[in-house]
Amino acid sequence: MRLRTFCLLLIILGLTLDTSAQRRKKKAVPKRRTTQTKAKARKTTLQRSSSKDTLLKGATIEILQSYKPEVKNTPKPEFATNLPPVDTTTPRLDYDVPQQSLSYTYSSTPLRPLALGNDSVENTFANYVKLGGGNLSTLYLDAGIGSFNSYNYETNLNVHHLSQAGNIEFQKTSLSSIDADGTLHRDGHAVHASIDALRNQFHHYGYDHDVFSYDKEAVRKTYYGMRVGADLKNEDKGFEGLDYHPSISMSVYGTPHNTVFGATERSFNLAVPVSYEVDTTLTALMGVNLGIAGFNDAFIQQSNNYFQLTPGVRYTKGNISGNAGLYPTVGKGGIFYVLPDIEARFGIGQSQYTFNTGWKSQLRQNTFEQLSTINPYMWDSYTVKQTRSDEIFGGVQGNVGNHISFGGRLSWWKHHNMPLFINDTLSDEKRFLVVYDRVTAMALQANVRYQVANTFSVGLSGTWTSYSARTFDKAWHMPGVQLKGDVMVKPLPQLVVTGYLSVLDELYALTKGDQVAKLNTIADIGAGAEYS
């Protein structure tokens, strides 16, 4: 009995020591447990407790756990650089271009003595009178009235007169004209109308005065003319984006009195040019031109008409610009032409040099007014033929510094039915006959000018032409050399001093016996001063 009791106490004491050892071990090494581990530990402990409770009632079991709170790390921002948005707006560039003096080369000046042209210089004063006199019994008058104007209209009235007389008997001219025009601005349009009248008197003095003798009435020749015209131009954006400038004119011109034949010419002209800007670089062009002229003298009547369409385009971008067109034209007698009008211009980088090349054709009616303006000593009766002229050219224009400008042009010409003037060798040679020939020519034009603002300017220009006629030996009375120099000095704001020198050479004429004669060199020098 005592032995059984002693063994039972030993067993209970061993169980007690084992439980204490496990408790001390758990306290010495605490472990970090997750939620799943904690749950599993609780379950295991409970199971053990349950199993031990069956063996040992009243035993206490403690469960210890360690928890350390942690703050979640804030994510570090990542910075990425981005380019600024692309600017697609068109920049507006302002340029400061120094003052330049450009000199342009034009066609040859008509051969006519002491010709009076319209003054294209803008009048400084609204109303003015200019009187002048000089050698060769020169009397000069130029007067204008421009004070009749308002904010929406302006008018101008000009009177011109120039008369001169040389040392040869009947070597005298008298040129007079009156011009009136007005412009009305309304509804984005400019309506312009004009009326011009002229009276130009000449005398056939080019005969041998030792052989022939005439009175004044026999050699006097007076031209009368009157022209009425009107045109319309859009000043704002036109209809459907079109720009237009139609014009119409009617005229009568001739020598109805004091002449052998008493020639009269009536003409009607209509022009309707239209353009449309497709974009900033391309413009479409279209136009209609109509010319009707009727010439008659005491014996014959002749018509001189043409009809023309002018389709084309104009291109401009950067340093490149140009235009191209092919103009179908129906001329006198129903003859059909296709007239090209092609030109290209190229600028060299940032330089001031521009090169151009092209092919231009035109049809000239050769009206009585056109031919008599070139040579007023022609016969009143002539055969009307129209002239087609073709020019293939290349040229350059530019500036050197701020004061020097220059230009040059090399051309090849071909004229079909070019009008030439030959002396009437069957009579006293005081009149000229109009003949036609096919003429080709090579021409070189050059000009240079030095200008300082509006105070000083000096320029020199020249044209050298080599003609080759098909039927005749020479291109009669067409100058092969044309030179011109001019100078302008403005020492005071009110004082302008000018001078010029003009030279014509390489002129040939046909004399009696069909002999070719080279005419003397023609030189004209003049100077003037004007104080306002």
Side-chain angles (χ1 to χ4, degrees):
M1 186 67 180
R2 292 180 178 177
L3 180 60
R4 186 181 298 175
T5 303
F6 180 77
C7 291
L8 182 59
L9 291 174
L10 288 176
I11 292 172
I12 294 171
L13 179 61
L15 292 173
T16 305
L17 292 174
D18 183 69
T19 304
S20 299
Q22 290 182 0
R23 187 180 302 161
R24 286 193 299 268
K25 186 177 181 181
K26 291 179 182 179
K27 290 182 179 180
V29 185
K31 293 183 179 180
R32 187 177 180 179
R33 301 178 182 179
T34 61
T35 305
Q36 295 179 356
T37 305
K38 294 175 183 179
K40 187 182 294 185
R42 291 194 185 100
K43 185 176 181 180
T44 305
T45 304
L46 291 175
Q47 290 177 354
R48 289 179 180 179
S49 300
S50 300
S51 61
K52 291 181 180 180
D53 288 342
T54 57
L55 298 177
L56 182 63
K57 296 182 178 181
T60 301
I61 301 174
E62 294 181 3
I63 300 174
L64 302 178
Q65 60 182 354
S66 176
Y67 174 74
K68 183 179 181 180
E70 296 181 358
V71 179
K72 184 177 181 181
N73 295 331
T74 303
K76 183 178 181 180
E78 297 181 359
F79 298 98
T81 59
N82 295 321
L83 296 176
V86 179
D87 187 5
T88 59
T89 59
T90 302
R92 181 176 180 178
L93 305 178
D94 296 327
Y95 299 93
D96 184 11
V97 181
Q99 180 181 0
Q100 302 291 335
S101 175
L102 300 180
S103 177
Y104 298 95
T105 304
Y106 300 95
S107 58
S108 59
T109 305
L111 290 177
R112 48 178 176 154
L114 309 175
L116 174 64
N118 293 331
D119 186 4
S120 60
V121 179
E122 183 179 357
N123 298 327
T124 306
F125 307 102
N127 305 317
Y128 71 98
V129 174
K130 294 173 64 176
L131 294 173
N135 65 330
L136 300 179
S137 302
T138 300
L139 177 62
Y140 177 74
L141 168 65
D142 182 16
I145 300 175
S147 58
F148 299 104
N149 57 71
S150 181
Y151 70 96
N152 61 346
Y153 73 89
E154 59 268 359
T155 62
N156 294 282
L157 176 65
N158 295 93
V159 177
H160 309 277
H161 176 78
L162 175 66
S163 60
Q164 292 182 308
N167 298 324
I168 304 176
E169 186 182 11
F170 302 131
Q171 186 188 26
K172 57 178 64 177
T173 59
S174 177
L175 313 176
S176 303
S177 65
I178 180 171
D179 312 322
D181 70 310
T183 304
L184 175 64
H185 304 274
R186 178 170 293 181
D187 299 331
H189 291 83
V191 182
H192 175 262
S194 64
I195 179 171
D196 308 327
L198 63 87
R199 178 187 181 275
N200 297 335
Q201 188 175 87
F202 303 89
H203 296 80
H204 294 282
Y205 66 93
Y207 56 90
D208 190 345
H209 291 260
D210 295 332
V211 178
F212 302 95
S213 178
Y214 298 101
D215 58 12
K216 185 177 180 179
E217 295 295 328
V219 297
R220 187 174 61 188
K221 186 175 187 178
T222 306
Y223 293 90
Y224 298 93
M226 177 175 288
R227 182 181 302 273
V228 178
D231 61 89
L232 172 70
K233 183 178 181 180
N234 64 297
E235 297 180 315
D236 297 335
K237 200 65 177 179
F239 176 75
E240 298 293 337
L242 298 176
D243 293 326
Y244 40 85
H245 189 188
S247 62
I248 185 174
S249 65
M250 295 176 288
S251 66
V252 57
Y253 180 85
T255 57
H257 309 293
N258 302 107
T259 60
V260 177
F261 297 98
T264 301
E265 182 179 64
R266 296 175 177 85
S267 63
F268 171 84
N269 291 279
L270 173 67
V272 186
V274 179
S275 63
Y276 177 76
E277 187 175 301
V278 180
D279 52 34
T280 57
T281 61
L282 187 64
T283 302
L285 309 173
M286 186 61 191
V288 177
N289 296 324
L290 173 65
I292 301 175
F295 173 81
N296 63 278
D297 54 33
F299 302 98
I300 59 174
Q301 293 183 355
Q302 301 178 75
S303 62
N304 187 1
N305 310 324
Y306 79 97
F307 176 78
Q308 183 181 68
L309 298 177
T310 59
V313 294
R314 183 171 58 243
Y315 178 83
T316 302
K317 186 175 183 180
N319 293 331
I320 301 176
S321 63
N323 56 271
L326 288 176
Y327 304 157
T329 306
V330 179
K332 177 179 171 59
I335 301 177
F336 181 75
Y337 305 91
V338 177
L339 306 178
D341 183 6
I342 303 171
E343 183 178 3
R345 294 171 290 274
F346 310 91
I348 306 300
Q350 300 298 324
S351 68
Q352 302 183 52
Y353 305 109
T354 302
F355 296 87
N356 65 326
T357 183
W359 177 14
K360 289 183 178 292
S361 296
Q362 61 179 353
L363 185 68
R364 189 173 67 176
Q365 286 181 278
N366 291 327
T367 63
F368 184 51
E369 183 175 3
Q370 291 173 339
L371 296 182
S372 63
T373 301
I374 299 173
N375 188 345
Y377 302 101
M378 62 177 285
W379 275 100
D380 299 335
S381 181
Y382 75 106
T383 301
V384 176
K385 291 184 180 182
Q386 296 178 343
T387 301
R388 172 179 175 167
S389 297
D390 291 83
E391 180 191 12
I392 300 176
F393 63 90
V396 60
Q397 287 185 346
N399 301 285
V400 179
N402 297 328
H403 303 288
I404 300 177
S405 61
F406 67 91
R409 186 184 183 108
L410 180 64
S411 304
W412 178 83
W413 288 90
K414 187 175 183 180
H415 305 276
H416 294 269
N417 293 329
M418 182 178 183
L420 302 174
F421 301 96
I422 62 173
N423 300 78
D424 186 4
T425 57
L426 297 179
S427 62
D428 51 14
E429 298 185 281
K430 69 177 181 290
R431 294 183 177 89
F432 291 84
L433 299 172
V434 178
V435 296
Y436 298 91
D437 200 357
R438 179 175 294 183
V439 178
T440 58
M442 288 291 296
L444 174 63
Q445 301 173 352
N447 62 83
V448 62
R449 179 170 295 278
Y450 180 84
Q451 181 159 349
V452 179
N454 196 28
T455 59
F456 177 77
S457 175
V458 58
L460 178 65
S461 62
T463 302
W464 296 265
T465 308
S466 176
Y467 295 98
S468 177
R470 182 176 183 179
T471 303
F472 298 101
D473 296 331
K474 299 290 183 179
W476 310 119
H477 296 278
M478 297 298 296
V481 176
Q482 303 177 69
L483 300 175
K484 184 177 181 180
D486 63 88
V487 62
M488 183 276 294
V489 181
K490 194 172 184 179
L492 299 174
Q494 300 84 7
L495 178 62
V496 179
V497 181
T498 59
Y500 72 91
L501 171 64
S502 179
V503 176
L504 299 179
D505 200 2
E506 296 296 324
L507 289 145
Y508 296 90
L510 184 65
T511 62
K512 288 186 176 181
D514 295 334
Q515 298 297 318
V516 178
K518 182 182 181 302
L519 302 180
N520 296 330
T521 301
I522 300 173
D524 182 18
I525 186 171
E530 181 176 308
Y531 184 85
S532 302

